[in-house]
Amino acid sequence: QLRLSSGRTPPGPGGPPFLGQLPAFFAKALRFGRRFRFHLYLQGLSRRFGPVTAFRLGTQRFVLISGHAALREALIGRGDAFGYRMDTPFFRYLSRKRGLAMSDGPLWAEHRRFAVRAFRRLGLGGPQAEALIEAECRSLLDALADALDGRASAEVDASDLITRAIVNVISQLLFSTRADYSDSELSEYVSHLSTLTHGDFVTLLITCYPWLPIRPMLALSSGARALDRSNNWVLEFMRTRVEAVRAGRMDPNFWTDPDSQPANYVEAYLLEQQRQLRETGSVGTFDDYQLYRSAYDIYLGGTETSANSLRWLLLMAALHPDMQRRCRLEVAAAIGTDWRPVSMADREKLPFTRAFIEETLRLVVPLPLGVNSRVVRATEVLGCTVEPSDFVMLNLFATHRDPEHFPEPERFNPERFIEPESGRCRRLDQAVSFGIGRRACLGEQLAQRELLTLFGSLLSRFRFELGDAEKAEPERLEELMLGSIGLIRAPGDHRLRITRVDWSDEKIDD
Ligand code: HEM
């Protein structure tokens, strides 16, 4: 086979044929038991073998890219080779390589460009998105106030309400609809979401032995069937929502009038579909299935990531009461005591609150290993060759623990995001929670808006403390801080004590 790269094989641990690192992986899992986490295991490998490491799990070779220099070289310097997603028969079966997150090549490029344009047209960076998030913020605050049930303070599991609020923001963006927090279909979606984002033994097996035939896997494994069922359920859910949007426009001229203004993403797509049909006689790649899958990716991509980030933010606020108070006072000074939700116009007045959010995302890394990808041709990174047959993992988690860029990396220190001279909040290039390069997160702007508005507004209305059980049992707290196992890092189950903020108290304390 013609080799186009002269780099060396990335260093890494060996392992027996057919198993590779699986025995070492399971030995670690047994040793650490409930405290075992894949991203911590991979952090150990990156520390031992360097920024580009290769290892085998089962029959599959993985290349792990860690640290800002290696990520930059791969995803920006060699972005044309790296902008491809992992391709296995099972993931191909689930996604048909359509949509936005799992597709590749020209199809992905065309639809990513469209999505960026559509988000802009729908005002994702402007007042429309703001109004939508603010309205949902009010509903979330009301739901939390209801959970207090007239008491000044109570222990509450806010997790579910947070997911529902975030789902509603995405749902408004895609379909201009929202659901009541008690809606049963929303509950069903939330349960499928959990199947799709929490890894289990089956996901590990089909990743380590990607050649395993799909039909027997589905017949033998209840986990594979659950994944398949949830995938189909969410896809069908998207189809019915899309069709409701299409049917909702009574005036058929709306779809053919080039000047029609879309109210949501689905309308923007359907208008583009009609434009292609008018101009070329075919819808091209803008078919209905691509729309269902794109809606699926935006819905899924924008739900658990943002919802978990908000859960982590409240937990961090509970763990750091002085900093929580500093954020609250900053928000109060920005919005005044005549309450309204925090908005992007308040940004400059909220440097510490924003730094608190940045630091939480740095320490937590909601998607610690990014989204698995591959290269389209043999490509060198820091002198090591990555082969097209490799699965590439982005070690975002370890990148945020590089002491050269983040001194005392395990310490929660929002000040690192504050410019010493001006006191303003700054972005750090080495903070890569949303990924970098061509496949970086499509929803970063929306996520940043959601987090600032929801977190700032929640702090202005409630004080958050750890629940009694978490306070009493340090091991429990330690475990919940380890986060869940799976693609997305969620804090373990916990309750927070929520207390209404009494502004007069705040001023007295000051
Ligand atoms: C705090 C919240 C979020 C975090 C930390 C996050 C993080 C990420 C990361 C790390 C990636 C993969 C980057 C790569 O492969 O190089 C990604 C991809 C993606 N995200 Fe997000 N995300 C968040 C919120 C959102 C939201 C709100 C949306 C929807 C509007 C969204 C939609 C997507 C999509 C569609 C992709 C796939 C992009 C592609 O493959 O071209 N994300 N995100």
Side-chain angles (χ1 to χ4, degrees), residues 108-341:
W108 165 78
E110 186 179 16
H111 284 270
R112 168 105 186 184
R113 268 196 309 274
F114 167 76
V116 170
R117 266 200 327 269
F119 279 8
R120 206 174 299 135
R121 196 165 169 203
L122 293 168
L124 215 67
Q128 286 106 309
E130 192 128 299
L132 193 151
I133 297 170
E134 284 179 21
E136 201 54 49
C137 178
R138 288 177 196 275
S139 302
L140 176 61
L141 290 164
D142 289 348
L144 277 177
D146 287 350
L148 289 184
D149 201 16
R151 294 161 294 182
S153 172
E155 275 201 19
V156 173
D157 182 351
S159 203
D160 197 48
L161 292 178
I162 287 174
T163 302
R164 285 160 197 262
I166 296 283
V167 170
N168 272 342
V169 172
I170 286 288
S171 189
Q172 295 260 27
L173 170 74
L174 283 169
F175 316 113
S176 305
T177 55
R178 70 176 295 280
D180 195 74
Y181 290 171
S182 57
D183 183 83
S184 61
E185 207 173 25
L186 187 55
S187 308
E188 207 174 340
Y189 169 70
V190 173
S191 82
H192 287 294
L193 187 62
S194 151
T195 312
L196 290 169
T197 54
H198 290 84
D200 62 359
F201 185 66
V202 181
T203 351
L204 181 71
L205 205 66
I206 51 187
T207 314
C208 302
Y209 299 98
W211 42 266
L212 280 171
I214 295 158
R215 296 286 161 200
M217 283 290 292
L218 288 172
L220 294 172
S221 152
S222 59
R225 282 198 303 279
L227 209 61
D228 190 32
R229 253 196 321 274
S230 293
N231 180 56
N232 287 335
W233 189 94
V234 176
L235 196 61
E236 178 57 18
F237 184 55
M238 292 300 124
R239 197 190 62 76
T240 47
R241 290 286 153 108
V242 166
E243 294 313 325
V245 171
R246 198 183 332 240
R249 287 285 179 185
M250 298 305 180
D251 176 7
N253 294 331
F254 177 81
W255 300 116
T256 47
D257 181 352
D259 295 327
S260 291
Q261 288 304 314
N264 52 51
Y265 187 85
V266 169
E267 285 192 356
Y269 187 102
L270 293 172
L271 287 169
E272 176 64 19
Q273 194 178 55
Q274 289 302 318
R275 190 186 69 81
Q276 300 249 350
L277 200 56
R278 253 192 333 269
E279 291 179 8
T280 67
S282 143
V283 296
T285 59
F286 281 78
D287 56 30
D288 288 351
Y289 186 75
Q290 172 68 17
L291 172 56
Y292 307 151
R293 284 241 74 103
S294 300
Y296 178 118
D297 289 342
I298 294 171
Y299 211 77
L300 214 71
T303 313
E304 277 299 83
T305 43
S306 294
N308 279 315
S309 301
L310 188 55
R311 283 183 200 118
W312 281 112
L313 278 165
L314 296 181
L315 195 54
M316 287 300 182
L319 283 167
H320 302 279
D322 290 349
M323 294 189 201
Q324 178 181 165
R325 189 159 180 283
R326 190 169 158 193
C327 292
R328 181 174 302 111
L329 292 177
E330 198 178 65
V331 170
I335 65 173
T337 47
D338 186 14
W339 194 84
R340 63 165 170 84

Side-chain angles (χ1 to χ4, degrees), residues 372-404:
N372 275 357
S373 53
R374 69 188 164 101
V375 287
V376 71
R377 57 178 175 276
T379 306
E380 246 180 76
V381 181
L382 300 184
C384 296
T385 303
V386 185
E387 303 285 354
S389 53
D390 294 329
F391 289 170
V392 177
M393 286 189 198
L394 310 177
N395 203 343
L396 307 181
F397 183 82
T399 303
H400 284 186
R401 276 152 179 81
D402 179 348
E404 193 190 324

Side-chain angles (χ1 to χ4, degrees), residues 75 85 100-102 108 112 119 170 173 297-298 301-302 305-306 309 361 366-367 370-371 394 396 432-436 438-444 446-447 450-451:
L75 304 178
R85 290 293 185 216
L100 288 162
M102 298 309 287
W108 165 78
R112 168 105 186 184
F119 279 8
I170 286 288
L173 170 74
D297 289 342
I298 294 171
T305 43
S306 294
S309 301
L361 293 177
L367 222 62
V371 177
L394 310 177
L396 307 181
V432 289
S433 289
F434 293 93
I436 54 173
R438 293 184 340 136
R439 304 261 357 197
C441 179
L442 189 60
E444 172 170 2
L446 177 67
E450 284 174 334
L451 295 181

